[in-house]
Each structure stands twice: as C-alpha cells, then as structure tokens.
Amino acid sequence: MCISHIERYGPPDKTKSPRTLQSQDLSDLRAKKARIATDAAVQTVLNLVSVNNLEKSILELSNFHNRHSKSVYIHEVADWIQRQLLDIGFNDVSFHDYNEDGFDLKNVICNKGVETEEGCILLTAHYDTVLSKDPDDVTSRMPGANDNASGVSALLEIARVLSGIPLQRRVKFAFFSGEEQGLWGSTHYAHHIKESGEKIHVVVNMDMCGETGFLANDNLSYIDIDNGETGTVDSNNIPSKNFGLKMQGLAEVYAQIDTIFDPIDASDYMPFESRGYVCIGAYDGSAISENPHYHDSSDVISNLNMNFLNEVTKMVLAFVLSETK
Ligand SMILES: [Zn+2]
C-alpha cells in the first residue's frame, strides 16, 4: 500500500502520558453515570472467563524468543494468533498485510458476525515487543508478558467466550504488529477501515493490563478516554467519555476492580481517534520509568497479577455485551 498519505507516529512513549483525570475533567458530560443493575445472564457469560486460559496464552506468547516487528519471529506470532482464533471456531480470520520501512508485516483480523449499519465494536491489542535500551535490537530475549501478551490474551479469551453467543452487532478483533515502532499496524488498519467505509461504533484498546502496583492501589485500572487533551478530533470526545463512564459502571457491578480515567495516549487507538472514531481503552498504568520490567527482558508473567487481568477482561467483556444487546 502507498503510505505517502498516511500520517506517521513516533515510537509511543507512554512514560510521558498525561496524568490521571480528575472529576472536573468530566464535568461537560451530557450523560450521568448510569446505574446498572446486575443481569444474571450477563453474569453467567462473565463466569466463563478463565484465568487459566489467560495464563496459558501469556505463557505461549512469552515463549517466543521475542516478538519484535523486525525480527524473524514476528510472522510466527501472527500465525499463532490466527491458529488460536481458528481453533476457537471462527472462520472469518485473515491477515491484513502492510509494508512499512521496508518490512512486510501483518495484522490479524477476526470478524464475529456480519457488517451492519450500526457499526462494529473493534477490539484491539498489539502483539509486538521492544526493548527500551535498544529499540532496534531484534535478537535479544523479549518475553513481553505485560506489554502486550496481557492485552492479546484478554482479547483471545473474550473471543472464545463470545464465539458461541449470538450478538446484534459485529465484533471485530484486531491484533496489530509494529506498535512499538510508531503505531504502524493500527495506522495502516485505521486507514484501510476509513477507505472501506465500514462503520465503527467504538474502538476498545487493551495495551498493558495485568501489572499492578504503579497506581494508587493494587486493584486499580485506568479506563482511557478521549478528553480532548491528546486526541485531534473534538466530535468524538463526549461519546468516548460516555463509553468510559459506561465501562466504569459495569466494572462496579461485574468486576472486582476499581477504575479511574486517564487520557487515551501512545497506543493503537490514536490512528482511529484522528480519523474521528470513538475510542476508549484499558491500561494498568505500569508504563513508567519506575517500572524496571517495562520494555525490558524481565517483563515476565511472574510480575503479573493474573486475578486482576481476569477482572479487567471481565470488565471489557461486560462492556462488549452491553453494546451488542
Ligand atoms: Zn504496548
């Protein structure tokens, strides 16, 4: 694909992302946080989320020597993700190919359900890894357990649970490469979606979701929303905040975690935001310089709080269910 008309991002530096949002940042919301009653049918679906499955996926992804986008391993990882989706029983699984900086790369795309006028829910996570000390090191060990096997495993588990459930809306799963070089995969895919005209109801990105200890308490997750501070399009801000509030309300009912808001930044939702799509995300706040495991060969599963990741996965799944009823 010709990329001369596609914008370029630098390597996403989450360590410089804006602060936690205070309540006054949300004061322009039209909708008040909805009171959500527990729905037994939703609870039954959420109970299907398995921490053992999450763990198994993270271990298998971490077992690739690395998942650097310029490494010899990156296509094996794409094949592995495709195989997981086919094994779940999906048949609409494909590679979205692109070339960037001379590298032929793939996003893995899976559709559940057919395209509708109302637009799809797009769930996104990147599968590549990098080392901070040398971003061009393609041969060293990079387990990337939290960044971002955690997000990939959560999406695969959501896909597994949803596979047997009829939904009113298409749910699209996108697994991106090239995130660490500058949101390559998501930029090409957002461009492709815009060109194709397929409508998106909301983008939900999962990037680093299982390493606790870097926010105010060990049970706290960020919900990333577009408050206008980091995005470039204004019309999608209020819808993003409303989706964020909806997710927060669902977390209170269905997930054993606390949530606070921060601005979307430095991850794969940004190329969608800049094209006007409404975006939110889940993020554990661990991409800070105080975290010795961030973009390091020590980003291994033993640093993760698997029960926390299990609850974050349930929060995102509850959101998907609430938007597909
Ligand atoms: Zn990441």
Side-chain angles (χ1 to χ4, degrees), residues 54-55 57-63 67 80 125-129 143-156 175 206-210 299 301 304 306 309:
L54 292 168
E55 193 169 272
S57 294
I58 291 176
L59 282 172
E60 292 191 26
L61 285 159
S62 307
N63 278 343
R67 307 190 302 275
W80 181 89
H126 76 87
Y127 62 86
D128 59 308
T129 56
N146 196 43
D147 190 7
N148 184 32
S150 63
V152 172
S153 70
L155 253 57
L156 287 172
F175 301 87
M206 298 186 77
D207 188 1
M208 307 180 72
C209 297
D299 181 6
I301 194 168
L304 270 58
M306 290 304 300
L309 178 60

Side-chain angles (χ1 to χ4, degrees), residues 7-14 178-184 187 266-268 270-271:
E7 76 279 18
R8 287 178 181 270
Y9 294 86
D13 186 356
K14 284 174 101 69
E179 194 266 355
E180 304 289 7
Q181 279 66 41
L183 316 182
W184 286 356
T187 303
S267 190
D268 285 320
M270 301 315 284

Side-chain angles (χ1 to χ4, degrees), residues 250-315:
L250 290 161
E252 285 171 11
V253 176
Y254 293 113
Q256 305 298 311
I257 52 170
D258 306 315
T259 58
I260 49 171
F261 297 108
D262 79 327
I264 58 166
D265 194 39
S267 190
D268 285 320
Y269 29 38
M270 301 315 284
F272 292 92
E273 194 284 333
S274 70
R275 287 168 174 78
Y277 299 111
V278 181
C279 305
I280 60 173
Y283 163 49
D284 59 21
S286 71
I288 56 176
S289 47
E290 289 79 4
N291 180 358
H293 311 302
Y294 175 53
H295 286 177
D296 191 85
S297 57
S298 64
D299 181 6
V300 293
I301 194 168
S302 56
N303 302 322
L304 270 58
N305 179 338
M306 290 304 300
N307 287 329
F308 179 83
L309 178 60
N310 195 54
E311 298 303 315
V312 172
T313 305
K314 287 202 273 189
M315 172 180 78

Side-chain angles (χ1 to χ4, degrees), residues 225-238:
I225 57 172
D226 182 5
N227 70 331
E229 198 172 341
T230 50
T232 58
V233 176
D234 288 337
S235 56
N236 52 11
N237 298 0
I238 287 176

